[in-house]
Amino acid sequence: MDLQAKLPPGCSSSSERPLVSVILAVLNEAAHIRQCIDSLLNQEAQDFDLEILAIDGMSKDGTKEILQEIAATEPRLRVLENQQRRTPFAFNLGLRGARGEYICIFGSHTSYRKDYISVCLKELIAQNAVACVGRIVTRPANATLGGQLVAWAVSHPFGSSRKSFRTQREGFSETANYPVARKAAFLEVGGFSEQLLRNQDNDMGQKLRAKGHKFYCTWKTECYYYPAGSLKDLLAYVYRTGFWNVISFKKNFACMGIRHFVPFLFLIALLSTSIVAAGRLLFPPADAVLASLPFRLLLGLHLAAGSVSALQVAWRERAPAALCLPFVFLGLHLAYGFGSLCAFVRGARIPSLPPESPAEAKGLTKEALSGSEVLHSTRS
């Protein structure tokens, strides 16, 4: 796809007031969209002009109507329709429609501090980076215990790794979720892969790094990310993430790291040692203890690490409920790893949209398609 050829005229780099285009992919986000749009319309924009492109994936819950209602009185907001419904198509529609020389690839499950764009834009230029993000603060999606446990789990390094966008430190980084970025660089590499219904941001990041571009994270500003609202939704979400990691690895192995497959390796180790432990019935009592030792040691180490992490959260938040986290961490990692295992076993591959025939659809499971929901992220 030639994104550059379809690009409308934009601001030049010499403009005194550059135009910044927010690209917002949305699908059935009625519960969050008004708060998100309000946070964008209230951005401090003394040094730049702002436009917001909300690309709606044929929402059925009133999201589009909310957007149109706001756009009727707010000329900075434009509502576009994404008939393909999937995230990468929305991003590329936004790239084609954006008039600014700077873009923001934002998520609708997130609200942004009023100085988010202005600070990231200044740091982007100061650090000579291709994209800059602020600190991402994870907040519970609701007031339930499950919602709070989900937020604690995904925002802790033991739950998401130290290189996740939810836990990254200030400085140059590998990832850039919710970035303010230079549009020209995204166009240079051909836009987002429309084959990757998930991890298209990982793929984009790898292509940009291969061109010598850098990402930067600043803690001078922040945005507020709302993850899944229940433990059930979290397990379904990480299962799909694990599943799509395998597909993404097959498409572009360089965009995936070892950390994306640690839960899979943990699951395989746990299954292997459990099989050995199950064989204890064939051994004398003394040998049975040795046979089950690797399984008990592996599981015990995970629960011990999870307990230390839970104590950290409980102390920081003054919340005894956080002591439930060891089991949440365990479920999160097992569901994530199981998603990858299922993808390997089934030979999951990049789907065609829509499948041209039942034979072509054979490798396309419901997990692969559901993984394309605009939950943003996604991701890492």
Side-chain angles (χ1 to χ4, degrees):
M1 176 182 296
D2 186 358
L3 292 170
Q4 185 70 55
K6 299 182 180 181
L7 183 69
C11 297
S12 68
S13 59
S14 62
S15 173
E16 292 183 2
R17 286 181 59 85
L19 177 62
V20 177
S21 301
V22 174
I23 298 172
L24 192 68
V26 297
L27 173 63
N28 295 328
E29 298 290 354
H32 299 277
I33 193 61
R34 195 178 294 274
Q35 178 184 14
C36 176
I37 294 295
D38 285 346
S39 74
L40 295 173
L41 291 174
N42 290 325
Q43 289 290 303
E44 297 173 346
Q46 291 89 347
D47 300 322
F48 60 90
D49 294 318
L50 180 69
E51 69 168 356
I52 303 168
L53 284 70
I55 298 96
D56 179 66
M58 313 287 285
S59 294
K60 305 296 184 182
D61 68 343
T63 297
K64 186 175 182 179
E65 288 71 21
I66 294 172
L67 290 169
Q68 290 174 331
E69 174 191 339
I70 299 172
T73 58
E74 178 49 72
R76 290 178 294 174
L77 174 63
R78 286 191 284 149
V79 183
L80 305 180
E81 187 175 90
N82 174 19
Q83 295 184 357
Q84 295 287 355
R85 306 194 71 201
R86 311 300 179 183
T87 306
F89 293 94
F91 289 161
N92 284 338
L93 281 170
L95 283 173
R96 293 196 298 271
R99 301 189 182 104
E101 65 176 297
Y102 298 100
I103 56 171
C104 307
I105 306 295
F106 283 175
S108 52
H109 267 234
T110 308
S111 60
Y112 305 85
R113 206 167 79 175
K114 62 182 181 179
D115 65 351
Y116 187 87
I117 294 177
S118 62
V119 169
C120 287
L121 182 60
K122 290 175 183 176
E123 290 295 301
L124 168 75
I125 296 170
Q127 301 295 336
N128 192 29
V130 71
C132 179
V133 302
R135 184 181 186 183
I136 297 172
V137 178
T138 303
R139 290 181 171 177
N142 52 54
T144 65
L145 175 60
Q148 185 64 77
L149 288 171
V150 168
W152 286 333
V154 300
S155 62
H156 195 280
F158 184 65
S160 296
S161 92
R162 293 192 177 276
K163 292 187 176 181
S164 167
F165 73 93
R166 304 175 184 91
T167 60
Q168 66 186 4
R169 309 298 296 180
E170 188 170 36
F172 291 102
S173 62
E174 292 184 5
T175 59
N177 287 66
Y178 313 127
V180 177
R182 302 178 192 270
K183 183 179 66 180
F186 282 61
L187 296 174
E188 179 187 3
V189 297
F192 290 88
S193 171
E194 294 180 351
Q195 292 182 304
L196 293 177
L197 305 186
R198 271 202 183 190
N199 294 329
Q200 64 281 144
D201 53 340
N202 290 32
D203 178 73
M204 171 62 75
Q206 186 275 324
K207 290 188 293 186
L208 289 171
R209 290 195 303 273
K211 291 283 187 178
H213 295 297
K214 299 179 294 183
F215 303 112
Y216 190 77
C217 175
T218 177
W219 279 23
K220 294 179 181 179
T221 188
E222 59 191 27
C223 61
Y224 309 100
Y225 167 71
Y226 301 89
S230 70
L231 293 173
K232 179 181 177 181
D233 289 343
L234 172 66
L235 296 180
Y237 175 75
V238 297
Y239 173 84
R240 293 193 296 267
T241 300
F243 194 98
W244 264 94
N245 283 354
V246 175
I247 298 177
S248 303
F249 180 80
K250 292 180 179 180
K251 166 65 176 176
N252 179 7
F253 73 90
C255 78
M256 307 302 293
I258 292 295
R259 65 187 177 89
H260 294 107
F261 297 97
V262 168
F264 168 71
L265 297 175
F266 170 68
L267 176 64
I268 293 299
L270 205 61
L271 289 174
S272 301
T273 54
S274 68
I275 292 172
V276 174
R280 68 186 184 278
L281 297 176
L282 303 176
F283 304 139
D287 293 335
V289 173
L290 292 176
S292 63
L293 183 60
F295 174 80
R296 291 187 287 121
L297 183 61
L298 187 61
L299 184 60
L301 286 173
H302 190 286
L303 291 173
S307 296
V308 171
S309 301
L311 286 170
Q312 292 172 344
V313 176
W315 177 263
R316 183 189 69 213
E317 303 292 336
R318 300 295 188 268
L323 297 178
C324 298
L325 280 173
F327 305 101
V328 178
F329 287 133
L330 181 62
L332 186 161
H333 293 154
L334 290 178
Y336 196 120
F338 187 60
S340 297
L341 177 63
C342 288
F344 278 122
V345 170
R346 298 178 186 182
R349 56 186 174 82
I350 295 171
S352 299
L353 291 177
E356 295 178 0
S357 67
E360 186 174 282
K362 188 175 181 181
L364 175 58
T365 66
K366 63 180 181 181
E367 291 91 339
L369 279 178
S370 62
S372 63
E373 297 167 1
V374 186
L375 294 177
H376 231 70
S377 285
T378 103
R379 301 174 176 158
S380 308

